Amino acid sequence: MVPFDPRAEAFLADPYPTFARLRAQAPVHDHPLLGMPVAVSHAACSQVLRGRELGRIWADAEPADAFTAFNLLHRNSLLEQEGPSHARLRGMVAGAFNRGHTARLAPWVSELADRLVRELAAAIDGDGSADLMATVAAPLPVEVIGELLGVEEPARSLLRGWSNAIVTMYEPDPGEARRAAAEQAAQEFVAELREFAAHRARQPGDDLVSDLVAAELDPDELVGTAALLLMAGHEATVNVVGNGVLALLTHRDQWERLLADPGLDARCVEELIRFDAPLQLFERTATVDTEVAGYPVPAGTKIAALLGAAARDPEAVDRPDELDVGRHPNAHLGFGAGVHYCLGAPLARLEVAATLAALRTHLPDLVLAGPTQRRPDFVMRGLRELRVGRG
């Protein structure tokens, strides 16, 4: 029996009742459609993410000669490394990332969020409603990643399209057209980043790529790192902002609570990540015969942590189906756990908090202005359109 169909419209609209049913039955379930067991309890998901006998073991997309750029980006990504190679690469990237980039970008991010929300407000005032996804949620993180990396126009405007195309390969059945588009986007990204890294080797700047070049990253590792930052940073923030604003506007008491107490911003960011997780699935592979919550996982077997299911586990979260912008502590796994905990988490938190502050300032009377359109994807859970107006 298949626990759920990740392509079903009703499931994509609201997977959380299904997750609750599965948690009540067992912490881990076989999933023939996904081709791997899935962990649904918080404890089991945490074990998948933290277990030393589980790792990221990259297998090239096939046929390999049709996905040379896509495979290059992932084979050399920090996310796909384990053991000494992971420790070496993570240390180099963390060293570069921690050279004050988040602090450097903080005022710029706040100004960017403020400008985009003012544009949203103007569009609402002019037309009665506007799409928050197109005006704020989508452009903000790609601008931030572009600024972090140092990528300028015209390439910066291409980053969002490249990211959107590449991440479709993570879905259970992307189809041939999207697979081809992902490889084309990967090829263009690799070519652009190689050229930009060569430029930064000659003329260093105050950006992350310059720091990675100075750290003498292998050229393939550099483009793999840049791709990971783009895809993880862009997709996560787009979906947290979209899913989060939708959650706040459909739980009006929590939006009013946030308006009355801006000091809740930091806790609200964590709650929005937990309540409707932007990344629903993270997979690892058993390096030896092991178990997860008593479920046997033989060596070489993939197993997935369903992060959205973990976030609604009543064993880990009090009143998990309620949105509580003041929730503390908050045991979500939205940024991962263990050795693969997200290096960009502080920057993502900064972006979401800046967006909330700008919305509170310029659109305290924000309301939904039409039905939402959800993306037809399971792994990357987000909205295609979120029309909003003034109440």
Side-chain angles (χ1 to χ4, degrees):
M1 178 176 130
V2 178
F4 57 86
D5 184 344
R7 303 160 299 186
E9 185 175 343
F11 172 77
L12 292 175
D14 184 5
Y16 299 108
T18 299
F19 292 158
R21 173 178 57 81
L22 293 175
R23 278 195 313 270
Q25 296 171 0
V28 181
H29 294 261
D30 186 38
H31 200 301
L33 275 180
L34 293 177
M36 68 187 86
V38 293
V40 294
S41 73
H42 189 280
C45 287
S46 183
Q47 187 179 347
V48 171
L49 297 176
R50 300 175 191 273
R52 294 188 177 184
E53 58 284 333
L54 296 161
R56 297 285 294 187
I57 300 177
W58 174 252
D60 281 352
E62 297 290 348
D65 59 357
F67 294 97
T68 55
F70 178 85
N71 288 331
L72 180 149
L73 289 177
H74 291 78
R75 197 183 304 122
N76 293 280
S77 168
L78 171 65
L79 187 63
E80 306 298 344
Q81 305 294 318
E82 293 292 339
S85 61
H86 174 268
R88 176 190 61 82
L89 185 55
R90 185 178 178 92
M92 297 173 75
V93 175
F97 206 97
N98 291 338
R99 290 193 184 99
H101 286 294
T102 300
R104 170 178 69 86
L105 290 174
W108 184 88
V109 172
S110 293
E111 291 173 6
L112 173 64
D114 193 80
R115 174 173 62 81
L116 293 175
V117 170
R118 280 189 280 109
E119 291 175 4
L120 176 69
I124 292 171
D125 292 340
D127 300 327
S129 70
D131 180 12
L132 182 138
M133 300 305 296
T135 309
V136 178
L140 184 138
V142 78
E143 284 291 326
V144 172
I145 295 299
E147 190 73 10
L148 172 70
L149 296 176
V151 175
E152 299 176 351
E153 296 293 359
R156 186 177 293 193
S157 294
L158 300 174
L159 292 175
R160 188 195 314 177
W162 288 335
S163 176
N164 288 341
I166 293 170
V167 300
T168 60
M169 284 284 280
Y170 308 150
E171 296 301 323
D173 184 17
E176 289 306 311
R178 296 212 288 180
R179 283 163 59 88
E183 172 60 17
Q184 180 63 36
Q187 289 178 12
E188 293 173 7
F189 182 84
V190 169
E192 178 63 34
L193 261 293
R194 286 204 194 287
E195 182 178 342
F196 182 62
H199 169 68
R200 280 299 187 232
R202 298 187 301 269
Q203 297 181 31
D206 186 18
D207 55 69
L208 188 66
V209 168
S210 295
D211 288 342
L212 295 176
V213 170
E216 299 184 346
L217 250 68
D218 174 90
D220 289 346
E221 291 177 339
L222 192 150
V223 296
T225 297
L228 174 61
L229 291 171
L230 169 63
M231 292 181 291
H234 171 233
E235 290 295 323
T237 305
V238 169
N239 295 334
V240 171
V241 170
N243 295 347
V245 171
L246 175 61
L248 288 168
L249 297 185
T250 52
H251 297 77
R252 195 73 197 182
D253 62 320
Q254 295 302 302
W255 174 243
E256 298 291 344
R257 186 179 171 196
L258 190 64
L259 291 176
D261 186 359
L264 292 175
D265 274 5
R267 291 184 180 184
C268 180
V269 170
E270 303 304 315
E271 178 68 346
L272 298 183
I273 295 167
R274 181 201 70 83
F275 186 75
D276 198 3
L279 175 66
Q280 291 280 316
L281 179 150
F282 187 83
E283 66 183 44
R284 301 190 81 194
T285 302
T287 55
V288 296
D289 291 348
T290 188
E291 292 184 353
V292 171
Y295 187 99
V297 186
T301 301
K302 287 185 176 182
I303 182 168
L306 296 190
L307 305 182
R312 298 289 188 100
D313 186 347
E315 293 296 320
V317 181
D318 184 40
R319 301 169 289 106
D321 293 321
E322 294 182 21
L323 183 71
D324 177 359
V325 297
R327 187 182 298 277
H328 184 76
N330 197 323
H332 72 77
L333 298 170
F335 290 120
V339 297
H340 286 291
Y341 186 82
C342 178
L343 282 171
L347 185 58
R349 289 182 170 112
L350 172 66
E351 293 174 70
V352 179
T355 303
L356 292 176
L359 288 171
R360 188 173 54 243
T361 299
H362 300 293
L363 287 166
D365 53 349
L366 192 69
V367 295
L368 294 177
T372 59
Q373 293 185 27
R374 187 163 290 283
R375 289 165 51 175
D377 299 320
F378 163 54
V379 177
M380 300 291 183
R381 178 171 172 78
L383 300 173
R384 180 174 284 163
E385 183 178 20
L386 181 62
R387 295 208 70 80
V388 292
R390 291 185 185 270

